[in-house]
Amino acid sequence: MLEVSTNIKADLRAGLKKYFGYDAFRGRQEEVIVNLMKGNDGFVIMPTGAGKSLCYQLPAILMPGTALVISPLIALMKNQVDQMQALGIEAGFLNSSMNRADYEAVKAKAISQQLKLLYVAPESLVKEEFIEFLNQANVSFVAVDEVHCISEWGHDFRPEYRRIRQILNNIHKVPVIALTATATPKVQADIRQNLHLEEASVFLSSFNRTNLYYEIRPKHDPIPEIIKYVKMQNGNSGIIYCLSRRKVEELSDLLNVNGIKSVPYHAGLDSHLRTQHQDSFLKEEVQVVCATIAFGMGIDKPDVRFVIHYDVPKSIEGYYQETGRAGRDGLEGNCVLFYDFNDIIKLEKFMKDKPVSEREAGKHLLYEMASFCESGVCRRKQLLHYFGEEYDEKRCNSMCDNCRYPKSRFDATKVAHTALRCVQEVSGKFVINHLVQIIKGSKNQQILSFGHDKLETHGQNDGRGEKEWKSIITQLIVNDYLIKDIDDYGTIKLSPKGIAWLKNPASMDMIVYQEPDKIERDHFQTEDVRQYDDILFDKLKKLRKEIAQQKNIPPYVVFQDPSLEDMAMKYPINIQEFQNIQGVGSGKAQKFGAPFIALIKKYVEENDIERSANVVVKTAGKNSANKLFIIQHIDRKTPLDEIASQKSLSMDEMLEELWHIITSGTKLNIDYYIQDSIDEDKQDEIYDYFMQADSDDLEMAQKELGTDFTSEEIQLMRAKFYSELAN
Ligand code: ADP
Ligand code: MG
Ligand code: ZN
């Protein structure tokens, strides 16, 4: 098994910067990776957008051999492979959509160890020949992504996932890392048992998505509101979820008619069309996808800026997962749900023919959802409470409607009494409208024919309107004082809690009813806190799209939004500065940097922009004293081993520092030391190697050059090479 040096963390951080262009790990990524590289199994439960992929991508790059990544969807696989290749990493996939020749070619590449990552679909796995192949390949570890697919209790059950363990048992023992965003304990237990991960270290992180803004709006006349909302999104991508296929088609058409490019997506479309629609969304040929929940897991677009629920989801878990597709890149994500209690009733009716237990469970989930929507409590607090997390709403930072526009409450003891008493008087045999008519004191035909004008509660309306009373009764239902009996035409009955309360009324408060169109929602979007140059940002975005189109990849594979923002803030005008941009490693800088740098340079010149000095200087960090010392002593031609020992660094650490200095743009001449320590033929050979190699990867160089060359020699020559040619 791989020896884990004490230096592993420094290596990991260097790798993170070099390949991915990130300065720091997020959350528990580093712990997860260290655990894996030590040869241990791991079970990672982190919300969508937390950065789970990196937990296997980085170790795959750093460890010898090929990492096997099991992933459920073909579209997702292709996506990740594109992303890896854009970073300059060799990756491939195997699935049923490929022809034989391509399939064999990828296998051959894996066997000859040219791949760092191999993505496979679970159905390919179970074939006999696949096991043989795996035993020929040098598998570094196995990652099982979207591992909740293993469980029937999860939202995307895939029977083939249940066979994964069997495969693992038939190949050489390697560490396994399983990853999911599913928070429910039942699914988690299922996964551990099925994959034999009982001993695995568990990495569970908070499900709080701090960058998402949650908002529930009354579903009044939603279509014009949605159109207006999308138009204010500045062309940013979004998903609109509807429950029925018909609605999806209808809404998508309406958006198109109104000048918003949109495609429908649902399980009723044939798979070719589905892929096509998904692709056009990824490539930003359309702004919006209108979808049933069938759309989601396969979509890894990091810059979805809004998720709208046209219909209420069937459970809080569903709501959380679907809204979770917004803002994966950590930037703004707006989640708006259009809520109408009648939708809950409708959904409940759909379950009418299901077995009683299933119906009861479904109803329970639905009512939890309803209560979530109607409650005036911080949305985030409620969501996290649902997943068993404590949360102090002061931290929400106005990132939900209830925190931003607190709903006023009133003492509802008296009206609650009237409503409950009214239900009691009519023995729970009437529907909501009739109850309201009684309380309002109506003397219509129906009231009179039942003699309901004689009731004690008749006319006790307390000066309130019809809609107010409906809101009061609905709140009583959601809070369990009343039951709406679907099996009995939707009549309203007292619950045991309601009966108990009537016997012994305690004070109760409720949310004040507001007419939907009077609710102030003008500034529903997250406050604009842009610090970057948005004119340049738009230009960069256009350029990104052009390049993506040329190369036929999604724009975010070129650079993600946070990188463009960083460019529009720091104005990098050469490759060294460019590599300091967030999310830009050396691979990406080389592959895509030039046109961006050219654009920025032109922009800076044309607009006379003063660039701040801190861009040019690489982040100082705690090692800057070492760096300075090294640079000064190289200028004085002090032998490198001597510099190392003076700073009590190992030669390896010393060489790593050197590499950092050089790759951040400082030119150093180390010929004096190389002449003394490496014989000339060897120098030439290594130099030639780097001349033709398409990566500066050390491991690859070592493999290519063979054991005649020490790692130190290779590192020294690489430093010379880079310093001479790149700086
Ligand atoms: P998940 O699979 O957990 O939903 P992804 O792996 O798709 O999340 O990552 C979400 C986003 O986070 C991606 O855009 C990725 O590039 C970004 N990301 C991951 N790790 C980091 C990091 N350490 N620093 C900055 N961005 C990161
Ligand atoms: Mg993922
Ligand atoms: Zn809140």
Side-chain angles (χ1 to χ4, degrees):
M1 197 78 310
L2 193 82
E3 195 41 55
V4 180
S5 74
T6 47
N7 240 345
I8 182 163
K9 291 200 170 174
D11 290 348
L12 288 182
R13 256 170 243 153
L16 183 70
K17 180 72 195 162
K18 177 174 171 207
Y19 297 105
F20 295 88
Y22 298 136
D23 291 317
F25 285 104
R26 268 199 198 153
R28 304 186 68 181
Q29 282 176 332
E30 188 173 32
E31 284 173 72
V32 173
I33 297 172
V34 169
N35 178 67
L36 179 68
M37 290 179 75
K38 281 182 177 162
N40 302 323
D41 293 344
F43 183 16
V44 179
I45 306 151
M46 293 179 183
T48 305
K52 288 185 290 297
S53 328
L54 193 119
C55 295
Y56 55 81
Q57 287 165 341
L58 182 59
I61 296 166
L62 299 177
M63 286 162 76
T66 306
L68 186 71
V69 183
I70 302 171
S71 174
L73 286 175
I74 294 176
L76 201 77
M77 253 180 244
K78 166 145 185 350
N79 227 278
Q80 288 219 6
V81 169
D82 282 348
Q83 291 185 37
M84 285 296 99
Q85 287 174 348
L87 296 174
I89 309 298
E90 291 291 341
F93 61 78
L94 293 174
N95 64 44
S96 50
S97 77
M98 307 166 75
N99 66 37
R100 194 80 210 165
D102 288 347
Y103 195 92
E104 290 304 325
V106 172
K107 269 169 70 179
K109 259 188 154 178
I111 291 172
S112 62
Q113 307 210 13
Q114 291 175 62
L115 295 181
K116 296 277 38 168
L117 291 121
L118 177 62
Y119 290 82
V120 283
E123 60 272 10
S124 310
L125 267 183
V126 296
K127 295 188 184 125
E128 194 61 37
E129 53 157 50
F130 201 79
I131 295 179
E132 227 168 86
F133 154 69
L134 284 182
N135 279 321
Q136 276 172 287
N138 178 16
V139 177
S140 49
F141 63 86
V142 175
V144 187
D145 206 356
E146 314 287 359
V147 67
H148 56 271
C149 292
I150 255 183
S151 171
E152 286 161 299
W153 301 95
H155 41 87
D156 289 298
F157 178 49
R158 294 291 207 104
E160 310 89 31
Y161 258 62
R162 291 215 167 248
R163 318 253 293 266
I164 293 175
R165 184 69 242 177
Q166 205 179 311
I167 313 298
L168 296 178
N169 292 342
N170 282 305
I171 62 171
H172 304 298
K173 192 170 158 30
V174 289
V176 174
I177 177 172
L179 312 99
T180 178
T182 300
T184 64
K186 182 146 186 72
V187 176
Q188 289 169 17
D190 231 18
I191 293 168
R192 290 184 75 127
Q193 192 201 17
N194 195 279
L195 269 185
H196 292 310
L197 286 179
E198 288 90 352
E199 309 276 284
S201 321
V202 178
F203 302 91
L204 174 73
S205 34
S206 166
F207 276 73
N208 186 12
R209 298 283 312 275
T210 49
N211 59 320
L212 299 189
Y213 177 67
Y214 299 105
E215 174 177 352
I216 317 290
R217 296 188 190 191
K219 192 170 176 180
H220 196 48
D221 183 14
I223 306 265
E225 220 174 317
I226 288 176
I227 290 172
K228 190 169 148 213
Y229 186 88
V230 175
K231 289 206 162 159
M232 284 179 65
Q233 293 288 325
N234 224 336
N236 285 330
S237 305
I239 306 174
I240 305 180
Y241 285 109
C242 310
L243 281 174
S244 74
R245 297 174 187 182
R246 192 181 48 82
K247 194 81 224 170
V248 161
E249 297 275 358
E250 201 180 296
L251 187 59
S252 180
D253 284 348
L254 262 170
L255 292 179
N256 280 312
V257 168
N258 282 281
I260 296 164
K261 285 192 190 158
S262 157
V263 284
Y265 189 102
H266 55 73
L269 299 175
D270 77 64
S271 73
H272 174 71
L273 211 55
R274 276 211 309 264
T275 315
Q276 199 181 318
H277 287 183
Q278 176 170 317
D279 256 21
S280 60
F281 181 61
L282 291 178
K283 290 183 181 158
E284 294 176 11
E285 291 154 7
V286 301
Q287 184 187 356
V288 174
V289 53
C290 295
T292 56
I293 44 171
F295 182 78
M297 195 181 56
I299 169 82
D300 236 347
K301 188 169 164 48
D303 49 5
V304 171
R305 289 284 158 256
F306 62 95
V307 168
I308 294 176
H309 279 92
Y310 180 89
D311 294 304
V312 68
K314 290 179 189 153
S315 68
I316 293 184
E317 164 100 30
Y319 172 74
Y320 179 83
Q321 296 297 347
E322 286 148 31
T323 50
R325 281 151 203 156
R328 271 173 187 259
D329 54 9
L331 302 180
E332 180 178 308
N334 288 296
C335 313
V336 183
L337 183 156
F338 287 90
Y339 171 72
D340 179 354
F341 186 69
N342 287 319
D343 283 350
I344 299 275
I345 305 295
K346 237 192 276 171
L347 285 171
E348 203 181 331
K349 277 203 194 117
F350 289 159
M351 298 188 299
K352 227 174 153 12
D353 300 327
K354 299 228 163 120
V356 180
S357 65
E358 200 177 318
R359 200 169 66 213
E360 279 306 308
K363 185 173 159 183
H364 180 70
L365 295 175
L366 266 178
Y367 274 73
E368 270 175 335
M369 190 64 217
S371 135
F372 169 80
C373 293
E374 303 204 1
S375 143
V377 175
C378 170
R379 309 281 180 207
R380 194 165 249 101
K381 186 184 175 77
Q382 295 183 74
L383 283 175
L384 293 173
H385 172 79
Y386 187 80
F387 298 128
E389 258 181 68
E390 289 275 343
Y391 182 76
D392 176 2
E393 65 230 71
K394 286 188 203 92
R395 286 170 49 214
C396 176
N397 233 332
S398 295
M399 285 297 278
C400 82
D401 52 356
N402 284 341
C403 288
R404 197 173 288 183
Y405 318 101
K407 287 185 179 146
S408 30
R409 304 182 74 87
F410 70 108
D411 180 353
T413 316
K414 190 172 160 212
V415 291
H417 192 273
T418 306
L420 295 178
R421 176 76 185 117
C422 182
V423 173
Q424 193 177 42
E425 280 192 294
V426 299
S427 310
K429 292 206 173 97
F430 291 83
V431 297
I432 199 164
N433 281 331
H434 189 86
L435 297 172
V436 173
Q437 291 310 317
I438 296 172
I439 296 170
K440 287 279 293 172
S442 163
K443 294 201 167 155
N444 68 26
Q445 192 55 50
Q446 218 187 358
I447 299 277
L448 294 176
S449 69
F450 285 107
H452 285 167
D453 54 334
K454 309 269 163 25
L455 297 175
E456 174 196 320
T457 50
H458 187 258
Q460 285 199 10
N461 64 333
D462 199 30
R464 292 170 198 273
E466 253 175 56
K467 286 190 176 156
E468 266 182 283
W469 278 106
K470 274 193 190 162
S471 154
I472 289 164
I473 295 174
T474 304
Q475 292 189 60
L476 288 167
I477 296 172
V478 163
N479 293 319
D480 269 350
Y481 293 93
L482 291 174
I483 299 165
K484 183 161 182 158
D485 191 348
I486 297 307
D487 294 329
D488 189 21
Y489 309 103
T491 51
I492 308 292
K493 301 188 162 33
L494 282 170
S495 72
K497 189 174 166 190
I499 294 169
W501 190 88
L502 266 181
K503 278 189 193 139
N504 194 4
S507 81
M508 184 192 299
D509 62 323
M510 283 187 194
I511 295 166
V512 176
Y513 175 76
Q514 263 182 304
E515 286 284 342
D517 32 4
K518 295 213 181 91
I519 299 176
E520 190 211 336
R521 295 288 187 202
D522 291 340
H523 29 290
F524 46 71
Q525 273 173 307
T526 332
E527 258 110 272
D528 207 353
V529 283
R530 272 174 217 162
Q531 291 165 346
Y532 55 86
D533 179 334
D534 44 3
I535 300 177
L536 177 59
F537 181 77
D538 285 344
K539 284 176 187 281
L540 291 167
K541 240 175 127 165
K542 279 208 192 90
L543 175 63
R544 174 176 72 175
K545 196 162 171 186
E546 276 166 36
I547 291 177
Q549 267 162 1
Q550 274 165 30
K551 301 200 190 265
N552 197 23
I553 47 179
Y556 63 83
V557 171
V558 179
F559 291 119
Q560 297 193 3
D561 282 2
S563 302
L564 297 191
E565 286 191 1
D566 209 26
M567 290 176 209
M569 202 152 69
K570 296 184 180 152
Y571 306 103
I573 53 168
N574 59 43
I575 190 99
Q576 289 79 39
E577 290 174 7
F578 198 75
Q579 281 188 28
N580 283 341
I581 293 297
Q582 193 203 342
V584 180
S586 51
K588 274 204 169 169
Q590 278 167 29
K591 262 203 158 81
F592 305 112
F596 287 86
I597 295 170
L599 186 146
I600 296 166
K601 207 165 166 191
K602 180 152 166 269
Y603 182 84
V604 164
E605 281 162 13
E606 281 173 359
N607 295 285
D608 258 340
I609 287 169
E610 265 204 58
R611 305 176 326 120
S612 61
N614 65 13
V615 184
V616 190
V617 182
K618 178 119 178 158
T619 39
K622 55 184 189 301
N623 293 325
S624 60
N626 274 352
K627 292 208 166 92
L628 200 61
F629 185 89
I630 294 170
I631 294 170
Q632 285 168 346
H633 281 79
I634 288 178
D635 282 347
R636 287 178 215 153
K637 300 200 178 354
T638 313
L640 295 183
D641 44 357
E642 212 167 283
I643 302 179
S645 80
Q646 280 187 37
K647 277 276 145 192
S648 34
L649 296 170
S650 71
M651 193 60 188
D652 249 6
E653 287 166 336
M654 162 75 204
L655 287 169
E656 193 182 322
E657 286 285 353
L658 185 68
W659 181 240
H660 274 165
I661 295 168
I662 291 176
T663 51
S664 27
T666 307
K667 204 175 171 100
L668 287 177
N669 187 341
I670 51 171
D671 283 351
Y672 70 96
Y673 185 72
I674 288 178
Q675 290 312 343
D676 278 355
S677 59
I678 311 176
D679 93 32
E680 253 171 58
D681 290 347
K682 272 182 147 184
Q683 284 182 34
D684 290 347
E685 247 182 274
I686 305 176
Y687 202 87
D688 288 347
Y689 164 80
F690 281 110
M691 226 26 204
Q692 55 75 41
D694 40 30
S695 133
D696 55 26
D697 186 70
L698 275 184
E699 236 170 63
M700 242 149 76
Q702 185 80 67
K703 209 180 293 160
E704 202 65 37
L705 289 161
T707 46
D708 285 350
F709 298 83
T710 66
S711 161
E712 186 178 320
E713 289 167 341
I714 297 174
Q715 288 186 65
L716 284 168
M717 288 309 298
R718 181 177 71 155
K720 173 182 158 75
F721 172 81
Y722 197 96
S723 193
E724 285 174 3
L725 291 179
N727 287 338

